[in-house]
Amino acid sequence: MKILVINCGSSSLKFQLIDSDSEQVICKGLCERIGIDGSQISYTPAGKDKVTVVTPMPDHNKAIELVIEALTNKDNGVVSSLSEIGAVGHRIVHGGEKFTKSVVITEEVIKAIEEVSDLAPLHNPANLIGIRACQKVMPGVPMVAVFDTAFHQTMPQDAYLYGLPYSYYEKYGIRRYGFHGTSHSYVSKRAVELLGKDAKDLKLIVCHLGNGASISAVDGGKCVDTSMGLTPLEGLIMGTRSGDIDPSVVEFIMKKENSTVADVTNLLNKKSGVFGLSDDLSSDFRDLEEGYNNGHAGARRAVDAFVYRVVKYIGSYTAAMGGVDAICFTAGVGENSGFVRKLICDRLGFIGAKIDVEANKVRGEEKTISTPDSKVTLLVVPTNEELAIARDTVALCK
Ligand code: AMP
């Protein structure tokens, strides 16, 4: 079966067509600047060159039409007709407490996604627009919603509650939800396969270190804690997000800078993290590594603080689970930066973890990067959220 995977943002739409039998990508692409001047679609059919078409895209309906045209056109198309697409999997950012796993999309499901939209006001409405646009262009094709929050719904109350009046949780659903769940789920399951043991016998820590970064504790195959919270702002220091701060910082900055809550929220999301700590050098770890090695003070400060926070979380999750068998690195930084992995693992001697410097040279491939005598297995496991979405979609549509 051919599965179209859609990841719809407010002005962008990423897509992949995946053959569910071979699990190969048939075509992948991106619509950019939807509803803005200068919109374009670019896509790469497997084994062919990238195609870019600059064309007006006033809304997501038009973007979906262009995706279908890209997939079916005579010159570069990968399917002869729309009927070859068996199902569509949609990435949905927030499922609140309603969704603990992926579901077939019905009108009831759409209503429930709408109901939790105030928890992700920038993302869920865009995800819903993507669903509606697909329904219009591909009526009758089954669709599945795969939630970023679902994998973390097994967290116990101790881990998900904030120390706030309980009534705020009951009235407004203010609690920790966690994100990147599709990635944490995929990587932890893959790690279980690589370790060749039963999931119930393993305590894993998954470090999803990308531009957005989060870490999770997976005990017996179930997520028991994760670093992101009500929103993806909590937890690790990220590319441009602050991660954990004292909430009083918000009011303090507002008074000092005579700014609004919206200004400070923007600062915490877009101008903080390693970008802000490096004195605006970069949010990209390739630039930060170069700066670090050239003695750039900001780059050193940013990378060291980033690494410290990851190590601190690994320590606390080891305590939460009463031990750890394996630590997995994934996403842009985790998969590619041996430099960052080494800085982190060099500080994990307290749990008996030892990195193999030679094996750690790996980039973007599954590999064990710990020494044979390491008490904790260190693994690089590239994530594949689109494949995870396609798998769930097939499983629910068969
Ligand atoms: P992601 O959000 O998972 O797509 O990760 C994107 C981030 O990964 C970029 O902003 C970089 O910081 C980082 N990254 C990608 N490739 C490399 C690399 N070769 N070395 C170090 N960092 C990388």
Side-chain angles (χ1 to χ4, degrees):
M1 194 194 279
K2 293 188 177 98
I3 306 292
L4 180 59
V5 175
I6 298 283
N7 181 355
C8 203
S10 54
S11 66
S12 70
L13 187 158
K14 287 189 216 150
F15 64 95
Q16 282 194 12
L17 188 69
I18 296 177
D19 181 334
S20 66
D21 298 325
S22 64
E23 299 205 324
Q24 296 299 308
V25 176
I26 302 167
C27 183
K28 65 193 235 180
L30 169 69
C31 299
E32 290 170 277
R33 301 179 64 84
I34 301 168
I36 309 171
D37 280 351
S39 48
Q40 64 172 42
I41 175 168
S42 53
Y43 58 96
T44 313
K48 290 195 182 168
D49 290 338
K50 183 171 174 179
V51 181
T52 301
V53 184
V54 178
T55 178
M57 241 177 270
D59 55 32
H60 288 76
N61 288 326
K62 185 67 193 172
I64 293 284
E65 274 175 28
L66 288 164
V67 169
I68 301 301
E69 147 67 19
L71 295 173
T72 55
N73 81 64
K74 281 200 197 78
D75 300 330
N76 310 300
V78 288
V79 292
S80 48
S81 92
L82 247 185
S83 61
E84 284 187 42
I85 300 174
V88 183
H90 291 267
R91 176 193 178 211
I92 309 294
V93 168
H94 219 307
E97 287 187 331
K98 280 188 207 295
F99 297 104
T100 56
K101 52 185 192 298
S102 304
V103 289
V104 173
I105 297 173
T106 59
E107 278 310 308
E108 232 182 337
V109 166
I110 290 178
K111 205 161 155 266
I113 297 172
E114 268 163 5
E115 277 165 20
V116 294
S117 278
D118 59 343
L119 292 168
L122 297 178
H123 294 100
N124 273 26
N127 300 157
L128 284 165
I129 289 170
I131 293 174
R132 290 285 188 211
C134 283
Q135 285 179 327
K136 207 163 161 193
V137 182
M138 290 179 270
V141 175
M143 306 211 186
V144 167
V146 180
F147 300 89
D148 261 21
T149 48
F151 180 62
H152 304 304
Q153 276 298 305
T154 48
M155 275 195 283
Q157 184 171 269
D158 300 355
Y160 72 67
L161 282 182
Y162 289 116
L164 292 170
Y166 189 64
S167 58
Y168 283 68
Y169 163 63
E170 292 179 305
K171 275 194 290 188
Y172 308 125
I174 299 177
R175 52 158 282 180
R176 309 184 55 257
Y177 290 95
F179 298 86
H180 293 144
T182 313
S183 175
H184 287 283
S185 166
Y186 176 88
V187 171
S188 58
K189 288 186 175 72
R190 189 68 197 125
V192 168
E193 286 170 6
L194 293 171
L195 292 164
K197 290 196 178 153
D198 205 320
K200 72 174 182 356
D201 299 326
L202 286 169
K203 297 178 193 298
L204 305 174
I205 293 178
V206 178
C207 306
H208 177 111
L209 310 178
N211 193 33
S214 66
I215 182 162
S216 66
V218 181
D219 193 351
K222 288 192 174 142
C223 175
V224 292
D225 205 347
T226 192
S227 57
M228 285 176 166
L230 177 77
T231 75
L233 188 52
E234 190 179 335
L236 301 176
I237 292 173
M238 309 182 210
T240 61
R241 289 181 220 147
S242 65
D244 299 335
I245 56 162
D246 179 342
S248 307
V249 168
V250 176
E251 190 188 5
F252 197 85
I253 296 178
M254 284 170 64
K255 283 186 180 153
K256 291 284 181 198
E257 297 268 316
N258 195 21
S259 54
T260 64
V261 171
D263 293 334
V264 182
T265 303
N266 191 49
L267 175 94
L268 296 177
N269 275 292
K270 304 218 166 119
K271 296 179 185 153
S272 300
V274 287
F275 173 75
L277 276 171
S278 67
D279 263 340
D280 300 3
L281 174 70
S282 180
S283 61
D284 193 307
F285 274 80
R286 284 163 285 203
D287 303 329
L288 293 169
E289 178 176 347
E290 197 188 323
Y292 195 98
N293 291 328
N294 292 332
H296 186 287
R300 291 210 159 210
R301 183 166 56 229
V303 171
D304 287 343
F306 173 86
V307 166
Y308 177 76
R309 182 81 54 99
V310 173
V311 170
K312 202 161 91 164
Y313 265 96
I314 289 174
S316 63
Y317 286 174
T318 303
M321 293 191 288
V324 59
D325 298 300
I327 299 172
C328 315
F329 293 94
T330 196
V333 182
E335 290 168 24
N336 294 301
S337 177
F339 162 73
V340 171
R341 288 193 304 255
K342 177 151 192 325
L343 288 174
I344 294 168
C345 296
D346 279 348
R347 301 184 66 150
L348 299 178
F350 75 103
I351 47 170
K354 274 195 217 161
I355 191 163
D356 177 331
V357 176
E358 200 45 43
N360 187 43
K361 288 183 179 154
V362 69
R363 268 176 60 175
E365 272 174 51
E366 287 178 351
K367 189 154 183 114
T368 300
I369 56 162
S370 46
T371 58
D373 64 337
S374 178
K375 290 207 176 76
V376 177
T377 306
L378 304 170
L379 291 169
V380 173
V381 183
T383 192
N384 193 338
E385 289 163 281
E386 289 77 14
L387 179 57
I389 292 171
R391 282 179 180 168
D392 275 13
T393 305
V394 176
L396 286 165
C397 291
K398 255 187 179 158

